[in-house]
Amino acid sequence: MTQPPFATLSAALASLGTALGALAVQLRAVGYEQYVESVATASVLMWTTACLTVVTWVRFRRTNSH
């Protein structure tokens, strides 16, 4: 059984979360306040998902390390 691409998925989600966080900062600087909250929420959601992917990866490795 091959291992699912947890590292790639986690890195992609973290990159997307970082990009959305930078976009939220830029939106605030330009004056689009009505969009900042939803973009920042999406950024936090991406980072949370990346962290949960790492937790799943660790648990998967423990389960299949025998």
Side-chain angles (χ1 to χ4, degrees):
M1 181 172 152
T2 62
Q3 182 174 355
F6 288 117
T8 306
L9 178 61
S10 180
L13 288 169
S15 297
L16 181 59
T18 301
L20 286 171
L23 177 63
V25 170
Q26 289 178 351
L27 287 173
R28 183 176 301 261
V30 175
Y32 289 103
E33 291 290 329
Q34 67 268 25
Y35 302 112
V36 171
E37 184 179 350
S38 59
V39 173
T41 301
S43 174
V44 170
L45 181 63
M46 291 300 112
W47 269 102
T48 303
T49 305
C51 292
L52 290 174
T53 302
V54 170
V55 168
T56 303
W57 183 11
V58 169
R59 293 184 67 159
F60 179 82
R61 289 185 69 179
R62 279 190 194 162
T63 304
N64 295 321
S65 65
H66 294 62

